Structures are given as C-alpha cells and as structure tokens.
Amino acid sequence: MLIGRDVFLFRDTCNVYVLREGRRAVLVDFGSGDVLDHLSDFGVDEVTDVLITHHHRDQVQGLARAAEAGLRIWVPPVERDLIAGVDEHWRTRPLANDYDVRQDRFSLLEQVPVTGTVAEYRTERHGPFAVHTLPTPGHTVGSVSYLVEHGGRRLAFVGDLLHGEGRVWSLAATQWAYTGAHPNAGREGVAATVLSCLQLLAHEPDLLLPSHGEPVTDPPAAVARARAHLTRLLDLHRKEPWDAARMLERPWREITPHLLRNTTSMANSYALLSESGAALLIDFGYDLTTGLPGGCDRASRRPLLASIDALRRDLGVDRVEVALPTHYHDDHVAGFNLLREVHGTQVWSPAHIAPVLAAPERWDLPCLWYDPIPVDRALPVGAPVRWREYEIGVHDLPGHTLYAAAYSFTVDGRRVIATGDQQTTEWEPGLRPEILNYQYRNRFRIDDFTRSAELYRTLRPDLMISGHWPPFEVTDAYLDMLLDKGRELARLHRALLPKNTDFGAEGFGARITPYRSAVSPGGKTRIEVEVRNPFPRPERAEVRLALPAGWQAEPPVAVLDVAGHGGAVAEFLVAVGDAAPPAERLRLGAEMTVGQVRFGQQAEALVSVR
C-alpha cells in the first residue's frame, strides 16, 4: 500500500512500513519478516535498518530473519532485554502466585541480537533517514514513536499507541500493575497513552502510522477522540477528575520563587534556579509517572524527561547544569544518565554515595539502578559546595539508608534542608505521627535518627523538603519530637537485641564485596569480606570462604585481630577451575568465627562464570 512518495505499508502480523530512498530502505517494525520477500514490489534492493517501536511478538516475531540478513536492528532502550535477552526473561519470569499483569510474556520465544538502542529525545541517522525518537509509553512501558520528515510531511510511526481514527489496539496491554495505592492503579498505561498522545501532537505530525489499523490523516481529531474516552475510563475509578494537561503544562510547583517541586515525579525532584538561567536538580527519578508497573525488571522502570521542557519553556531555564542525589535509590536517580545524555547535566554526588552510583553491582543493597551512573564531581561530606550564587551544605544523613545525604542552602531568604526519604514530614501533633523511614537492608544503624535530629537542630532550617511528601514548615516542636523519637527508637532496639552480642540493627557480622561479579573459566577474582566483632573486647576473627566445587581461595583462612565492636577486612583471591562450565549466579559464602563463637556463613555473594 502506497502511503506517500517512497513510503509504503506492508500488511503482516503488524503493519510494516517501508521508507525508501533510491533503492535502499529502512523498515519500521518487522512482523513475520515476509516483507523481505517482497522488496522488489517497492523498488527496493537493500534494507539497511529496522526500527522497532515495542517488543510485542506481533511486531518482532520474524526478527531472526533480519539478523540473519545482516540488517541493523534498533530497539527501545528499556525493552532491549525483552528482545536481545528474552531467554533470561523466560527463565526467570515468575509464573506461580503471579501478580505481574503486564504483557511482557507477549515477547519473542527466542532472543535475537540487536545492533543497539535508539536515542530517546534525539535525532539520529538510520540509513538515509534522520529519525527523531520520542518516548511514548502506553501500549507498553517502553514503547517509542519515530518522527521522520519525508516528502514534505512529518510522519509519526506510533506503534500501537493509537489504532486508526482515535482508538487503541488493546486496553489489556495498558494495565501495567495488578493493584496499588496510586490513583491510576491498574490503568497506568491508559494515563500514559493520553500523555504520550499529547506530547506527540506537540511535534505537529501530519500523519500517524500505527502498527494496526489505517493511517491517521487528522492526528488532532484522532487524539481528541481517544483522549476523551480514555479520560472518562480513568475518571470512573478516581475521586477527582484527572488533568493530563496540567501534568505536561505545569509540572513544577513553586516553593519559593527560585525553588520548585516537580509534582509529576516519583519520587519528588526539586529545581534550584539561578539568576544565570541555569538549574540544579535535587534528585530526578521517574518523571511524569502514571504509576509504577508491576515487576522490577528493566522493562518496568522507565525514566522520562518531560518536565525539563516546562523548565525551559516557562521558567527561563536554558541549561540543567547539575543533578544531586539525596541517596542512590532508583526512584531518586533513574533519570540521571538520561539527563546527562540529552541535556549534558553533570552528576555531583557526596563522596560516600558516589561508589554506589558508579558500580551498583558491587553492593548488596536494595533499589539499585540497573546501570552505572558516572559521577562528575565527588563532594566531601561536611564541607559546603558552591553552585552559582548558592552555597550548599553537604551532610551525612544515615537512617533511611547508610548512603544518604542532606543538603542545606538558603534560597529567597529561607533556610532549606533537603532530606530525601529520611522521615515523612507529615507530622500533625495528636493527629498524624511522623514515621522514621528505616529499612534494615539499606544498612540502618541504631543511633542514625538521633544523629539526624541533632543535625537538624544544629542547622535550624525554616523549611524541610523530602522525597515523597509536601514541603514542611519546621518548628522547634517538630525538631524536639524528632529527637525524642530517634532516642526512643534507639532505646527500643537496644532493649530488644542481644546485649552481649552486638551485630547492630542489621543483624549480620560479615559482608562480601563485590556482591555480584563475573569471571572467566580458569580465571581469578578478588573478594573482600568485611567482618564485625560483636563483642566489647578485642577478639581474633577467622574467615574462610565456602566455594563451588573445584574453586580455591588464597589464603584458605584469613585471621584478623579486631577491636571491640570494631571491623576489619579480609582479602581473598578466588581461582575458578579450568573446567568450570558457564553458569550464572553461583553462590559463595563467608564463614566467620569470632573468638570462641562460630557464627557460620554470615554473608554471600554471586559470581557468574562467563
């Protein structure tokens, strides 16, 4: 079917679009691959590239043919694992007692290697064409649309975002989570579809080319029809009508004239504005969120940058210079790499958080982002840093996690402290208690909240901004309450935990670094074991590794003299047998004895042989 000059539609398990330039072509989506048998029908001798809008099997089931033919295959960034790594997805996808309702099983049955991922929010050349990639979540979390200027028209290849004149191909695909507290729970993709359609219209496409159905010749009318019905569907389940336009047009709420809160992100992010036109962000996780999908694989967690457009459009920001993390959790840093790639943003991090961001696989911690986040500047804790006209205090803030920081600064005459997820900042005396947000796996220590309360009393902020709650006016009564509550939390832990064997709140005496690593057959890897003496007196600790069959450690046993309630590190060089077959996540453990007490295998790590 001829769409326009040098643009054709081939009907297969999905619509496959052929963009021709001379005798060469680029394909958008691939279906069963039968299009390769009909290239002469379109006057095409060579296909250079295949662009995939989303991972569903009807789009890609024949993709192996493209790989065998040597075509360059480009896929959405967060869905690469559902195409090039789908074997692992099938191996590990939970099936029993399964509450993950996303259609991630509508994926390839066998994985296919890809050339790479498309660059979201940017224009790159694929074959003879300049292609702009726009994130358009809705039908899937990771869906993208491609915008191409061709034949005097702006063409938008939208996958299954829309179907024909203002419908959707599947509503079931838009249900990303089984249930939850978010107002859009179970309808996350419905809300995302509306937002994606509105962002698509901002690019003023002349023609929408969907994966199913007919080309859309009047994009504004089609979007208006779909938006009206989708919004009504959302409002059936909400206390208040949903306002998609506000999320896009007014994502930032003023705290002071030069300090803004992003009301569309998960968790809160903040923009500190300079008179120079630059902005500094405190945290930047899941922008423009409509609710988090079920699961924790990469395809369920997608960073976006929609709110940055509003900073530029409405607030005179011409560059986002710096991003600061309050802590390493994904909902606070997921967008950092995308900010760097698209806007050139630098990441400045407190020195004790930087190693977690830079090498997440080394750490046994929850809520780690999938990829390393390079740090451009490591900030000493306890010393202020200068950014533009602001002096920003950098303070250690353990409690919610050991690897967290608070930032103090004065803006528009108000003393502000950013505390991440340390506490809920919703206290109402006699009505609503303040929650000290400790999680043991984040490496909470018994006195952390006493120390943070003491820090706040020293800094005397007027205003506290936090990760998931509204800005809070700080009073002396609030600071006194936090100190009392921190002391009571510490007292209760000491009253409940063993008196003479103190492993702290975490309850373990050893930790292995790196937690995840890979080694080749016959290779060697270096392992460190951090041990804690739980006794008040100095003791000798013995540490040995529990290894897979055929592996060896040097030394076989490490002997350490450890101060009372102190720590020490044992180092081992682990040799993998030459005959070790490739395997994923083989387990090794650290057996620890302190003094006369054998505590057993107190820690584990995972090593893959590749």
Side-chain angles (χ1 to χ4, degrees):
M1 175 181 174
L2 180 66
I3 301 298
R5 183 172 63 84
D6 294 327
V7 182
F8 305 91
L9 186 162
F10 179 78
R11 296 195 186 277
D12 195 1
T13 56
C14 69
N15 292 340
V16 178
Y17 294 97
V18 182
L19 285 76
R20 185 181 69 187
E21 177 75 25
R23 305 291 296 184
R24 296 193 302 160
V26 168
L27 305 180
V28 179
D29 289 324
F30 198 67
S32 72
D34 285 355
V35 66
L36 297 184
D37 300 325
H38 296 270
L39 295 180
S40 61
D41 298 346
F42 308 116
V44 171
D45 295 329
E46 178 192 7
V47 172
T48 61
D49 298 78
V50 180
L51 303 174
I52 301 301
T53 60
H54 60 288
H55 75 275
H56 279 171
R57 200 154 56 236
D58 53 349
Q59 311 294 122
V60 295
Q61 67 181 56
L63 205 55
R65 285 196 64 184
E68 291 164 3
L71 310 185
R72 294 187 291 264
I73 301 170
W74 304 94
V75 300
V78 304
E79 294 189 347
R80 179 175 186 153
D81 290 349
L82 294 176
I83 295 174
V86 79
D87 291 356
E88 180 70 5
H89 173 71
W90 283 115
R91 189 183 72 81
T92 59
R93 174 61 158 87
L95 299 174
N97 197 23
D98 176 22
Y99 282 79
D100 186 349
V101 297
R102 285 178 303 141
Q103 291 187 351
D104 58 334
R105 288 179 292 168
F106 191 27
S107 298
L108 283 172
L109 303 181
E110 303 289 342
Q111 65 192 31
V112 174
V114 303
T115 305
T117 59
V118 291
E120 295 180 319
Y121 298 104
R122 285 155 286 173
T123 301
E124 291 188 331
R125 293 203 71 83
H126 293 287
F129 298 98
V131 181
H132 184 81
T133 301
L134 181 69
T136 48
H139 186 72
T140 70
V141 179
S143 292
V144 299
S145 294
Y146 299 112
L147 293 155
V148 178
E149 301 282 350
H150 192 66
R153 294 189 296 177
R154 182 169 295 166
L155 309 178
F157 301 89
V158 299
D160 282 325
L161 180 67
L162 284 179
H163 170 73
E165 299 295 335
R167 298 177 183 269
V168 295
W169 180 239
S170 169
L171 282 172
T174 65
Q175 189 172 51
W176 295 350
Y178 190 86
T179 188
H182 195 279
N184 295 329
R187 289 157 292 279
E188 302 81 7
V190 171
T193 296
V194 174
L195 293 168
S196 293
C197 285
L198 293 177
Q199 292 174 88
L200 183 64
L201 281 188
H203 289 263
E204 299 182 341
D206 298 298
L207 194 65
L208 305 185
L209 299 172
S211 288
H212 296 89
E214 299 302 316
V216 176
T217 57
D218 188 348
V223 167
R225 183 186 189 280
R227 177 186 177 186
H229 290 294
L230 291 170
T231 302
R232 289 191 190 105
L233 181 61
L234 281 170
D235 288 347
L236 283 176
H237 307 277
R238 297 176 61 94
K239 293 180 180 179
E240 298 177 355
W242 184 62
D243 187 353
R246 187 205 64 79
M247 291 186 70
L248 291 171
E249 295 168 6
R250 300 184 302 280
W252 298 93
R253 183 171 298 167
E254 181 179 296
I255 301 173
T256 74
H258 291 83
L259 179 63
L260 312 175
R261 173 190 173 207
N262 185 348
T263 61
T264 73
S265 62
M266 162 65 182
N268 291 335
S269 55
Y270 299 91
L272 183 61
L273 307 184
S274 166
E275 292 291 346
S276 69
L280 175 147
L281 299 178
I282 299 174
D283 291 335
F284 200 83
Y286 300 115
D287 191 32
L288 202 68
T289 184
T290 59
L292 290 182
C296 57
D297 57 319
R298 183 186 293 272
S300 69
R301 296 291 182 268
R302 185 181 199 176
L304 297 167
L305 298 179
S307 67
I308 304 301
D309 289 339
L311 281 180
R312 292 172 172 266
R313 181 186 67 236
D314 302 328
L315 297 160
V317 171
D318 57 25
R319 59 203 179 279
V320 180
E321 283 190 340
V322 173
L324 295 175
T326 59
H327 55 296
Y328 67 88
H329 285 173
D330 64 307
D331 57 331
H332 293 256
V333 302
F336 276 24
N337 283 340
L338 198 56
L339 281 168
R340 181 200 310 278
E341 294 163 7
V342 178
H343 295 294
T345 305
Q346 288 196 350
V347 174
W348 295 2
S349 171
H352 65 303
I353 304 174
V356 185
L357 298 177
E361 73 283 351
R362 292 184 59 84
W363 300 83
D364 178 16
L365 293 166
C367 313
L368 291 162
W369 185 238
Y370 307 97
D371 305 311
I373 298 174
V375 171
D376 299 286
R377 182 177 176 184
L379 307 177
V381 173
V385 60
R386 192 82 186 174
W387 176 77
R388 298 291 174 175
E389 61 264 42
Y390 299 100
E391 184 173 87
I392 301 173
V394 182
H395 311 278
D396 191 22
L397 195 72
H400 177 61
T401 170
L402 183 59
Y403 308 99
Y407 301 107
S408 60
F409 52 92
T410 298
V411 56
D412 299 314
R414 307 212 69 194
R415 297 188 305 275
V416 179
I417 186 167
T419 60
D421 291 349
Q422 186 77 349
Q423 63 275 318
T424 55
T425 64
E426 290 188 309
W427 181 59
E428 292 184 54
L431 296 175
R432 184 179 296 167
E434 186 75 340
I435 296 173
L436 306 183
N437 190 16
Y438 62 93
Q439 313 290 329
Y440 293 105
R441 264 201 70 202
N442 284 335
R443 304 202 65 180
F444 159 64
R445 299 173 306 181
I446 290 174
D447 292 307
D448 281 346
F449 285 92
T450 303
R451 294 183 181 123
S452 64
E454 291 168 345
L455 172 68
Y456 303 154
R457 288 165 69 93
T458 299
L459 296 173
R460 307 299 297 184
D462 302 311
L463 191 66
M464 184 175 286
I465 57 175
S466 60
H468 297 271
W469 304 277
F472 188 83
E473 296 283 346
V474 178
T475 64
D476 287 342
Y478 178 70
L479 296 180
D480 292 344
M481 177 276 299
L482 284 181
L483 183 58
D484 290 343
K485 200 156 190 173
R487 287 171 173 168
E488 178 65 1
L489 181 67
R491 186 193 70 78
L492 288 170
H493 274 77
R494 289 194 168 92
L496 289 166
L497 290 172
K499 183 176 182 180
N500 298 318
T501 305
D502 181 10
F503 281 132
E506 292 180 77
F508 290 100
R511 183 174 291 269
I512 300 177
T513 303
Y515 188 73
R516 292 174 285 162
S517 60
V519 64
S520 60
K524 296 181 179 180
T525 186
R526 191 168 298 278
I527 297 292
E528 294 183 353
V529 182
E530 177 187 354
V531 298
R532 175 184 170 94
N533 176 5
F535 305 119
R537 58 190 179 277
E539 290 285 4
R540 177 157 292 181
E542 292 187 0
V543 184
R544 68 184 72 232
L545 297 182
L547 299 170
W551 295 24
Q552 294 183 331
E554 179 60 39
V557 181
V559 179
L560 305 166
D561 290 319
V562 190
H565 293 316
V569 176
E571 296 186 358
F572 297 88
L573 189 63
V574 175
V576 177
D578 292 335
E584 292 295 314
R585 297 190 178 185
L586 296 174
R587 281 74 63 194
L588 57 83
E591 171 93 21
M592 184 182 81
T593 298
V594 181
Q596 301 301 309
V597 182
R598 183 179 180 183
F599 291 102
Q601 295 176 6
Q602 282 284 295
E604 85 289 335
L606 307 175
V607 181
S608 296
V609 179
R610 299 171 183 162

